[in-house]
Amino acid sequence: MAEEQVSEQQIRRRTMLSFIGFGLAAIVPFGLWKWIGTSPADAGVKRPLRRVLEANAGVGRGILSPTHLAPTFPKEQAAANPRVNGWDGIRSAVPAAQGYTVRVEQPGKPVLTVSLDEIKQLPKHEMIYEFKCIEGWSEVQHWGGVRLLDFVQKYGLGGKTGAATPDQPNNWYQYVGMETPDKGYYVGIDMGSALHPQTMLAYEVNGQPITGPHGAPLRLIIPVKYGVKNLKRIGTIVFTDERPRDFWAERGYDYFVGL
Ligand SMILES: Nc1nc2c(c(=O)[nH]1)N[C@H]1C(S)=C(S)[C@@H](COP(=O)(O)O)O[C@H]1N2
Ligand SMILES: [Mo]
Protein backbone atom coordinates (compact mmCIF):
# COMPACT_ATOMS: atom_id res chain seq x y z
CA MET A 1 0.00 0.00 0.00
CA ALA A 2 1.31 3.45 -0.83
CA GLU A 3 2.59 5.50 2.09
CA GLU A 4 0.02 8.23 1.47
CA GLN A 5 -2.86 5.79 1.61
CA VAL A 6 -1.55 4.33 4.85
CA SER A 7 -1.40 7.69 6.55
CA GLU A 8 -4.89 8.67 5.36
CA GLN A 9 -6.25 5.44 6.73
CA GLN A 10 -4.53 6.11 10.02
CA ILE A 11 -5.79 9.66 10.14
CA ARG A 12 -9.31 8.34 9.68
CA ARG A 13 -8.75 5.81 12.43
CA ARG A 14 -7.42 8.43 14.78
CA THR A 15 -10.22 10.84 13.95
CA MET A 16 -12.65 8.06 14.79
CA LEU A 17 -10.87 7.46 18.09
CA SER A 18 -11.14 11.11 19.03
CA PHE A 19 -14.86 11.07 18.22
CA ILE A 20 -15.25 8.09 20.51
CA GLY A 21 -13.37 10.14 23.12
CA PHE A 22 -15.73 13.11 22.69
CA GLY A 23 -18.70 10.77 22.71
CA LEU A 24 -17.62 9.34 26.05
CA ALA A 25 -17.01 12.80 27.43
CA ALA A 26 -20.55 13.78 26.44
CA ILE A 27 -22.15 10.94 28.39
CA VAL A 28 -20.09 11.38 31.58
CA PRO A 29 -22.82 11.86 34.20
CA PHE A 30 -22.85 15.10 36.17
CA GLY A 31 -22.21 13.24 39.46
CA LEU A 32 -18.98 11.86 38.09
CA TRP A 33 -18.03 15.31 36.86
CA LYS A 34 -18.53 16.65 40.38
CA TRP A 35 -16.39 13.82 41.75
CA ILE A 36 -13.62 14.78 39.31
CA GLY A 37 -13.97 18.37 40.48
CA THR A 38 -13.44 17.51 44.15
CA SER A 39 -10.58 15.03 43.77
CA PRO A 40 -6.96 15.96 44.44
CA ALA A 41 -4.79 17.40 41.70
CA ASP A 42 -1.74 15.62 40.36
CA ALA A 43 0.75 17.89 38.53
CA GLY A 44 -2.07 20.41 38.06
CA VAL A 45 -4.40 17.87 36.47
CA LYS A 46 -7.27 16.34 38.50
CA ARG A 47 -6.41 12.72 39.24
CA PRO A 48 -9.30 11.01 37.35
CA LEU A 49 -8.53 13.19 34.33
CA ARG A 50 -4.85 12.27 34.57
CA ARG A 51 -5.95 8.61 34.50
CA VAL A 52 -7.87 9.31 31.29
CA LEU A 53 -4.77 10.94 29.78
CA GLU A 54 -2.77 7.87 30.71
CA ALA A 55 -5.44 5.55 29.28
CA ASN A 56 -5.33 7.62 26.09
CA ALA A 57 -1.57 7.18 26.02
CA GLY A 58 -2.25 3.44 26.20
CA VAL A 59 -4.52 3.72 23.18
CA GLY A 60 -1.73 5.63 21.46
CA ARG A 61 0.75 2.90 22.24
CA GLY A 62 -1.64 0.33 20.80
CA ILE A 63 -1.77 2.17 17.50
CA LEU A 64 1.99 2.72 17.48
CA SER A 65 3.79 0.11 15.51
CA PRO A 66 6.75 0.11 13.16
CA THR A 67 4.27 0.22 10.29
CA HIS A 68 2.88 3.53 11.54
CA LEU A 69 5.37 6.00 10.13
CA ALA A 70 5.21 9.76 10.22
CA PRO A 71 4.84 11.03 6.63
CA THR A 72 8.09 12.15 5.04
CA PHE A 73 8.71 14.91 2.48
CA PRO A 74 11.13 15.78 -0.31
CA LYS A 75 14.23 17.70 0.79
CA GLU A 76 13.16 20.88 -1.01
CA GLN A 77 10.25 21.27 1.39
CA ALA A 78 12.45 21.41 4.49
CA ALA A 79 12.78 24.79 6.23
CA ALA A 80 16.08 26.48 5.34
CA ASN A 81 16.30 28.01 8.83
CA PRO A 82 14.41 25.74 11.19
CA ARG A 83 12.65 27.49 14.01
CA VAL A 84 14.26 27.44 17.47
CA ASN A 85 12.21 26.97 20.64
CA GLY A 86 13.24 26.33 24.24
CA TRP A 87 16.57 27.07 25.95
CA ASP A 88 16.29 25.06 29.15
CA GLY A 89 19.48 23.10 29.78
CA ILE A 90 21.31 24.62 26.82
CA ARG A 91 22.14 28.14 28.02
CA SER A 92 25.76 27.40 28.87
CA ALA A 93 28.54 27.36 26.25
CA VAL A 94 27.90 24.95 23.37
CA PRO A 95 29.98 21.78 23.94
CA ALA A 96 32.49 20.91 21.22
CA ALA A 97 31.52 17.95 19.06
CA GLN A 98 35.12 16.76 19.20
CA GLY A 99 35.49 14.45 22.19
CA TYR A 100 31.82 14.79 23.21
CA THR A 101 30.49 11.79 25.14
CA VAL A 102 27.08 10.61 26.27
CA ARG A 103 26.65 8.82 29.60
CA VAL A 104 24.43 5.70 29.44
CA GLU A 105 22.96 4.15 32.60
CA GLN A 106 21.04 0.94 33.10
CA PRO A 107 20.18 -0.86 36.38
CA GLY A 108 22.83 -3.34 37.48
CA LYS A 109 25.24 -2.37 34.74
CA PRO A 110 28.38 -0.25 34.82
CA VAL A 111 27.93 3.23 33.40
CA LEU A 112 28.76 3.30 29.72
CA THR A 113 30.37 6.28 28.03
CA VAL A 114 29.83 6.56 24.28
CA SER A 115 31.47 9.23 22.18
CA LEU A 116 29.79 11.08 19.36
CA ASP A 117 32.41 9.63 17.01
CA GLU A 118 31.34 6.12 18.04
CA ILE A 119 27.68 7.01 17.53
CA LYS A 120 28.54 8.26 14.04
CA GLN A 121 29.88 4.78 13.20
CA LEU A 122 26.28 3.52 13.18
CA PRO A 123 24.29 3.65 9.91
CA LYS A 124 23.33 7.23 9.10
CA HIS A 125 19.70 8.07 8.40
CA GLU A 126 18.21 11.26 7.06
CA MET A 127 14.61 12.18 7.63
CA ILE A 128 12.46 15.04 6.41
CA TYR A 129 9.22 15.20 8.38
CA GLU A 130 6.86 17.64 10.03
CA PHE A 131 8.13 18.60 13.48
CA LYS A 132 5.22 19.56 15.76
CA CYS A 133 5.37 21.79 18.80
CA ILE A 134 2.56 21.53 21.35
CA GLU A 135 2.37 25.33 21.35
CA GLY A 136 0.71 25.21 17.96
CA TRP A 137 3.34 25.48 15.25
CA SER A 138 4.80 22.86 12.98
CA GLU A 139 7.48 22.86 10.31
CA VAL A 140 8.95 20.44 7.80
CA GLN A 141 12.54 19.86 8.90
CA HIS A 142 15.47 17.78 7.69
CA TRP A 143 17.42 15.84 10.33
CA GLY A 144 20.32 13.40 10.11
CA GLY A 145 21.70 10.92 12.62
CA VAL A 146 21.34 7.34 13.81
CA ARG A 147 18.34 5.33 14.92
CA LEU A 148 18.03 4.98 18.68
CA LEU A 149 17.06 1.38 17.85
CA ASP A 150 20.44 0.77 16.18
CA PHE A 151 22.18 2.37 19.17
CA VAL A 152 20.48 0.04 21.70
CA GLN A 153 21.25 -2.97 19.49
CA LYS A 154 24.89 -2.05 19.11
CA TYR A 155 25.49 -1.53 22.84
CA GLY A 156 23.12 -4.23 24.13
CA LEU A 157 20.87 -1.71 25.90
CA GLY A 158 17.23 -1.31 26.87
CA GLY A 159 16.46 -4.96 27.65
CA LYS A 160 16.49 -6.86 30.94
CA THR A 161 18.69 -9.35 29.14
CA GLY A 162 20.65 -7.85 26.28
CA ALA A 163 19.35 -5.35 23.78
CA ALA A 164 15.69 -4.38 23.54
CA THR A 165 14.13 -5.59 20.30
CA PRO A 166 10.76 -4.37 18.97
CA ASP A 167 9.28 -7.88 18.96
CA GLN A 168 10.06 -8.66 22.63
CA PRO A 169 8.30 -6.04 24.77
CA ASN A 170 8.43 -8.35 27.83
CA ASN A 171 12.19 -7.93 27.88
CA TRP A 172 12.11 -4.10 27.69
CA TYR A 173 12.82 -1.65 30.40
CA GLN A 174 9.65 0.43 30.31
CA TYR A 175 11.25 3.82 29.84
CA VAL A 176 14.19 5.71 28.53
CA GLY A 177 15.08 8.96 30.26
CA MET A 178 17.29 11.67 28.78
CA GLU A 179 18.83 14.74 30.39
CA THR A 180 20.98 17.64 29.30
CA PRO A 181 24.54 17.62 30.70
CA ASP A 182 23.55 20.28 33.29
CA LYS A 183 20.24 18.45 34.07
CA GLY A 184 18.33 21.65 33.28
CA TYR A 185 15.99 19.82 30.86
CA TYR A 186 14.92 16.21 31.01
CA VAL A 187 12.38 13.90 29.38
CA GLY A 188 10.95 10.43 29.87
CA ILE A 189 9.82 8.30 26.94
CA ASP A 190 8.01 4.97 26.82
CA MET A 191 10.20 2.28 25.30
CA GLY A 192 7.79 1.54 22.43
CA SER A 193 8.20 5.11 21.17
CA ALA A 194 11.96 5.06 21.82
CA LEU A 195 12.36 1.97 19.63
CA HIS A 196 10.21 3.35 16.82
CA PRO A 197 12.25 3.17 13.58
CA GLN A 198 12.01 6.95 13.08
CA THR A 199 13.35 7.85 16.55
CA MET A 200 16.84 9.29 16.08
CA LEU A 201 19.89 10.51 17.89
CA ALA A 202 20.43 13.44 15.53
CA TYR A 203 23.73 15.23 14.88
CA GLU A 204 22.84 17.04 11.64
CA VAL A 205 20.22 19.47 10.46
CA ASN A 206 19.97 20.30 6.73
CA GLY A 207 23.07 18.16 6.14
CA GLN A 208 25.25 20.25 8.51
CA PRO A 209 26.30 19.66 12.13
CA ILE A 210 23.50 20.71 14.48
CA THR A 211 23.87 24.31 15.69
CA GLY A 212 23.95 25.27 19.38
CA PRO A 213 20.32 26.45 19.60
CA HIS A 214 19.10 23.18 18.01
CA GLY A 215 20.98 21.07 20.58
CA ALA A 216 24.57 20.63 19.41
CA PRO A 217 26.24 18.26 19.27
CA LEU A 218 23.52 15.60 19.73
CA ARG A 219 19.76 15.75 20.24
CA LEU A 220 16.74 13.50 20.20
CA ILE A 221 14.38 13.55 17.19
CA ILE A 222 11.23 11.57 17.87
CA PRO A 223 8.42 12.08 15.31
CA VAL A 224 5.84 10.10 17.34
CA LYS A 225 6.03 12.78 20.07
CA TYR A 226 5.45 16.51 20.28
CA GLY A 227 8.49 18.81 20.29
CA VAL A 228 8.75 18.88 24.09
CA LYS A 229 10.16 15.33 24.12
CA ASN A 230 12.79 16.10 21.45
CA LEU A 231 15.51 16.86 24.01
CA LYS A 232 18.35 19.05 22.77
CA ARG A 233 21.96 18.47 23.89
CA ILE A 234 21.80 14.89 25.21
CA GLY A 235 24.10 14.38 28.20
CA THR A 236 22.67 11.24 29.82
CA ILE A 237 20.51 8.35 28.62
CA VAL A 238 18.93 6.04 31.23
CA PHE A 239 16.97 2.82 30.71
CA THR A 240 14.66 2.08 33.62
CA ASP A 241 11.30 0.74 34.81
CA GLU A 242 10.78 3.79 37.00
CA ARG A 243 9.08 6.58 35.11
CA PRO A 244 11.83 9.16 34.54
CA ARG A 245 11.17 12.73 35.59
CA ASP A 246 9.97 14.92 32.76
CA PHE A 247 10.34 18.69 32.59
CA TRP A 248 6.96 19.51 31.03
CA ALA A 249 5.00 16.70 32.71
CA GLU A 250 6.09 18.30 36.01
CA ARG A 251 4.51 21.49 34.71
CA GLY A 252 1.13 19.87 33.99
CA TYR A 253 1.44 18.53 30.46
CA ASP A 254 0.45 14.97 29.58
CA TYR A 255 3.42 12.68 30.23
CA PHE A 256 3.22 10.81 26.92
CA VAL A 257 2.34 13.69 24.51
CA GLY A 258 2.11 11.18 21.67
CA LEU A 259 1.18 12.06 18.11
N1 LIG B 1 17.35 21.03 26.16
C1 LIG B 1 16.14 21.41 25.70
N2 LIG B 1 15.53 20.66 24.76
C2 LIG B 1 14.31 21.03 24.30
C3 LIG B 1 13.65 22.19 24.78
C4 LIG B 1 14.31 22.95 25.78
O1 LIG B 1 13.82 23.96 26.29
N3 LIG B 1 15.56 22.54 26.19
N4 LIG B 1 12.42 22.55 24.29
C5 LIG B 1 11.63 21.52 23.58
C6 LIG B 1 10.56 22.08 22.77
S1 LIG B 1 9.19 22.64 23.58
C7 LIG B 1 10.59 22.08 21.41
S2 LIG B 1 9.28 22.58 20.48
C8 LIG B 1 11.81 21.66 20.68
C9 LIG B 1 12.26 22.73 19.72
O2 LIG B 1 13.40 22.31 19.04
P1 LIG B 1 14.13 23.35 18.09
O3 LIG B 1 14.60 24.50 18.90
O4 LIG B 1 15.21 22.60 17.40
O5 LIG B 1 13.06 23.82 17.12
O6 LIG B 1 12.86 21.36 21.55
C10 LIG B 1 12.51 20.65 22.70
N5 LIG B 1 13.73 20.26 23.37
MO1 LIG C 1 7.56 22.83 21.93
Side-chain angles (χ1 to χ4, degrees):
M1 201 189 280
E3 198 176 359
E4 269 175 21
Q5 286 174 295
V6 171
S7 26
E8 266 183 31
Q9 191 186 327
Q10 260 142 5
I11 288 164
R12 274 201 300 275
R13 193 158 151 208
R14 233 183 289 170
T15 310
M16 207 178 73
L17 279 170
S18 18
F19 276 122
I20 294 170
F22 278 117
L24 288 178
I27 59 170
V28 169
F30 180 67
L32 178 59
W33 182 251
K34 257 175 73 185
W35 170 67
I36 290 171
T38 52
S39 62
D42 179 358
V45 179
K46 297 289 181 180
R47 201 161 285 155
L49 294 179
R50 162 125 341 253
R51 290 242 178 77
V52 171
L53 287 175
E54 284 170 7
N56 283 345
V59 171
R61 277 199 297 279
I63 292 170
L64 265 189
S65 79
T67 53
H68 171 184
L69 296 176
T72 54
F73 298 81
K75 249 176 219 172
E76 305 74 60
Q77 288 187 32
N81 295 297
R83 190 163 165 168
V84 171
N85 195 44
W87 292 87
D88 293 287
I90 62 167
R91 288 191 185 90
S92 59
V94 180
Q98 191 73 34
Y100 191 78
T101 57
V102 173
R103 182 186 160 91
V104 187
E105 297 170 10
Q106 192 165 304
K109 275 200 169 184
V111 171
L112 182 70
T113 303
V114 184
S115 71
L116 181 60
D117 285 342
E118 287 169 315
I119 290 171
K120 285 183 176 174
Q121 304 292 307
L122 292 164
K124 184 177 172 186
H125 289 273
E126 293 190 47
M127 181 169 60
I128 299 112
Y129 82 107
E130 193 177 3
F131 183 101
K132 292 175 181 156
C133 172
I134 214 161
E135 292 169 59
W137 57 270
S138 69
E139 193 173 73
V140 174
Q141 298 177 345
H142 173 188
W143 297 95
V146 304
R147 288 179 172 164
L148 186 57
L149 179 59
D150 291 341
F151 178 78
V152 304
Q153 301 299 309
K154 163 84 186 210
Y155 293 97
L157 301 163
K160 304 286 169 65
T161 55
T165 53
D167 55 315
Q168 288 202 297
N170 293 336
N171 186 43
W172 296 352
Y173 280 103
Q174 287 185 49
Y175 297 98
V176 53
M178 294 195 186
E179 301 196 337
T180 55
D182 69 357
K183 313 220 172 295
Y185 196 81
Y186 37 89
V187 296
I189 289 160
D190 55 281
M191 193 61 92
S193 300
L195 298 180
H196 188 276
Q198 290 177 312
T199 301
M200 289 173 48
L201 300 174
Y203 51 81
E204 284 185 0
V205 62
N206 288 339
Q208 298 296 316
I210 288 184
T211 55
H214 284 302
L218 189 71
R219 73 159 317 159
L220 181 65
I221 286 292
I222 179 162
V224 297
K225 300 286 186 188
Y226 275 106
V228 283
K229 295 285 190 186
N230 291 240
L231 181 133
K232 302 190 276 192
R233 199 187 288 182
I234 301 171
T236 308
I237 303 178
V238 186
F239 297 92
T240 175
D241 278 336
E242 273 167 54
R243 186 180 287 193
R245 64 191 194 131
D246 185 276
F247 188 90
W248 284 109
E250 285 173 1
R251 286 155 181 79
Y253 281 81
D254 171 37
Y255 190 88
F256 292 96
V257 291
L259 278 162

